[in-house]
């Protein structure tokens, strides 16, 4: 199925993004990797507002009816990128084809905040103003799908302002646009606001567990999440779009953060970020495990620093694999079986020794 690609920005004179003529007819691969059917039994994001600092969010975005508030003119979205991201975060199950195309946190509210000009071009001043506006509106999570090549004192101050208001800022570690072929070997770079202290920076991966050729690499990232060949709504109509990049992985992590803050409302923004990273799948960039973030019960006081566990072997996934959880469950069941078998063997040895001792006493 060929879906139109959601643009990140529009060139001079280009018309606004039109509705897609094609509706997705199968459940997106991201749903299985994130375990959304099981996740939604524990949390749906109710009571949490996720701000999307992007190109705006159109009021007609599929699956968001009645759950979008806007700051200023952010209720308009000519580009469509912000609407797509908001759908990944919080769209409900609405679909013309009857397929579950819902977002990660379908009961969360969305706050549309403009971080770009109407054509989708961002700059540090606009992003800083957007983060401050979201913090003033008391958003629990602030998704910034934008990755800027430079920062500014104003942007850094805005991130600190959000932290002071207990808002978790989640940002793309790199831009969506792939680097030119000639620059594939370029050194990893820093982008903002993801590189600011206190921001949860996010990288993307695709159905095969890898990243697209030519994709930019960050100096560091806190989490990786499904972000390549993802499917979501456009700013209008009932059709579907596709997109690839860290901005869409940012949407998935922002949705997961909303689930955690809804289920555990006493957690601070910093504690929410720590829970998401501590429960992630081990990898060079730890991979988001939404189910574990909602269900793992800590056995120690979270306030006491704990030693960092050794990273395990990472298994890349094929596009047909329903997700890493099956691998984790399989490994876990094998380990459990081995432990039980060893325990049974030890019990049998003790029983034989006991019988021999009893026989010796009788003689």
């Amino acid at each position: 199925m060929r879906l139109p690609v959601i643009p990140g920005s529009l060139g001079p004179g280009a018309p606004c993004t039109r509705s897609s003529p094609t509706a997705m007819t199968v459940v997106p691969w991201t749903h299985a990797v994130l375990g959304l059917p099981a996740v939604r039994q524990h949390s749906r994001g109710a009571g949490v507002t996720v701000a999307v600092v992007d190109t705006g969010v159109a009021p007609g975005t599929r699956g968001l009816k009645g759950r979008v508030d806007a700051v200023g003119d952010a209720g308009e979205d000519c580009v469509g990128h912000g609407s797509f991201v908001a759908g990944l975060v919080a769209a409900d199950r609405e679909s013309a084809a009857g397929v579950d195309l819902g977002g990660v946190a379908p009961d969360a509210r969305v706050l549309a905040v403009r971080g770009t000009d109407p054509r989708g071009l961002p700059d540090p001043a606009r992003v800083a103003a957007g983060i401050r506006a979201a913090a003033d509106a008391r958003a629990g999570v602030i998704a910034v799908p934008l990755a800027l090549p430079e920062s500014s004192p104003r942007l850094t101050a805005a991130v600190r302002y959000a932290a002071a208001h207990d808002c978790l800022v989640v940002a793309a570690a790199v831009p969506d646009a792939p680097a030119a072929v000639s620059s594939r070997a370029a050194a990893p770079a820093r982008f903002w606001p993801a590189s600011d202290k206190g921001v949860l920076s996010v990288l993307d991966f695709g159905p095969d567990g890898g990243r697209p050729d030519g994709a930019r690499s960050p100096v560091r990232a806190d989490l990786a999440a499904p972000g390549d060949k993802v499917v979501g709504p456009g700013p209008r109509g009932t059709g579907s779009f596709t997109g690839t990049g860290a901005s869409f992985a940012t949407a998935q992590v922002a949705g997961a953060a909303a689930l955690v803050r809804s289920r555990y409302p006493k957690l601070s923004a910093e504690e929410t970020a720590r829970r998401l990273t501590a429960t992630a799948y081990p990898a060079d960039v730890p991979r988001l495990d939404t189910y574990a973030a909602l269900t793992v019960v800590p056995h120690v006081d979270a306030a006491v620093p704990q030693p960092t566990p050794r990273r395990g072997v990472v298994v890349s996934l094929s596009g047909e694999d329903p997700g890493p959880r099956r691998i984790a469950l399989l490994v876990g069941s094998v380990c459990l079986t081995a432990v039980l078998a060893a325990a049974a063997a030890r019990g049998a040895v003790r029983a034989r020794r006991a019988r021999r001792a009893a026989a010796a006493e009788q003689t």
Side-chain angles (χ1 to χ4, degrees), residues 22-129:
T22 308
M24 189 69 170
T25 57
V26 296
V27 177
W29 70 273
T30 53
H31 282 47
V33 171
L34 296 173
L36 293 189
V39 162
R40 289 170 182 161
Q41 297 178 28
H42 298 278
S43 178
R44 293 174 56 88
V48 179
T49 295
V50 179
V52 177
V53 183
D54 203 339
T55 62
V57 179
T61 304
R62 187 192 70 231
L64 294 177
K65 184 177 181 180
R67 290 188 293 121
V68 179
D69 300 308
V71 175
D73 64 349
E76 302 175 0
D77 185 11
C78 181
V79 180
H81 192 275
S83 299
F84 186 95
V85 167
L88 294 177
V89 172
D92 60 27
R93 294 177 55 130
E94 278 188 24
S95 171
V99 177
D100 180 5
L101 300 178
V104 178
D107 285 353
R109 293 195 66 84
V110 171
L111 178 67
V113 184
R114 193 176 294 285
T116 73
D117 69 10
R119 312 300 290 176
L121 298 178
D123 63 63
R126 284 193 175 93
V127 175

Side-chain angles (χ1 to χ4, degrees), residues 101-209:
L101 300 178
V104 178
D107 285 353
R109 293 195 66 84
V110 171
L111 178 67
V113 184
R114 193 176 294 285
T116 73
D117 69 10
R119 312 300 290 176
L121 298 178
D123 63 63
R126 284 193 175 93
V127 175
I131 291 174
R132 279 186 172 270
D136 286 338
R138 297 297 190 268
V141 182
I142 302 176
V144 186
L146 310 167
L148 305 171
E150 61 182 14
S151 185
S152 70
R154 185 176 177 183
L155 180 56
T156 298
V159 170
R160 292 175 179 170
Y161 184 80
H165 285 73
D166 196 32
C167 305
L168 175 57
V169 179
V170 183
V174 292
D176 286 346
V181 174
S182 61
S183 65
R184 288 182 185 176
R190 292 185 182 275
F191 296 90
W192 283 266
S195 293
D196 278 312
K197 184 179 180 180
V199 175
L200 193 61
S201 60
V202 182
L203 198 62
D204 54 296
F205 65 84
D208 62 353

Side-chain angles (χ1 to χ4, degrees), residues 280-286 308-315 331:
Y281 292 103
D284 290 340
V285 178
T308 302
R310 293 181 180 273
R311 294 299 184 189
V313 177
V314 180
V315 181
V331 173

Side-chain angles (χ1 to χ4, degrees), residues 156-293:
T156 298
V159 170
R160 292 175 179 170
Y161 184 80
H165 285 73
D166 196 32
C167 305
L168 175 57
V169 179
V170 183
V174 292
D176 286 346
V181 174
S182 61
S183 65
R184 288 182 185 176
R190 292 185 182 275
F191 296 90
W192 283 266
S195 293
D196 278 312
K197 184 179 180 180
V199 175
L200 193 61
S201 60
V202 182
L203 198 62
D204 54 296
F205 65 84
D208 62 353
R211 300 186 67 225
D213 291 340
R216 298 296 302 267
S217 295
V219 172
R220 56 166 290 277
D222 297 308
L223 276 178
D228 301 337
K229 300 177 182 177
V230 300
V231 175
R236 52 196 62 86
T238 58
S240 303
F241 287 80
T242 187
T244 289
S247 69
F248 309 122
T250 299
Q252 315 282 8
V253 173
L259 296 179
V260 172
R261 301 210 77 173
S262 176
R263 181 169 171 80
Y264 302 105
K266 293 184 179 180
L267 290 183
S268 67
E270 182 180 358
E271 290 167 338
T272 299
R274 189 182 308 135
R275 187 175 181 91
L276 289 169
T277 54
T279 57
Y281 292 103
D284 290 340
V285 178
R287 299 195 171 190
L288 174 67
D289 184 343
T290 311
Y291 189 85

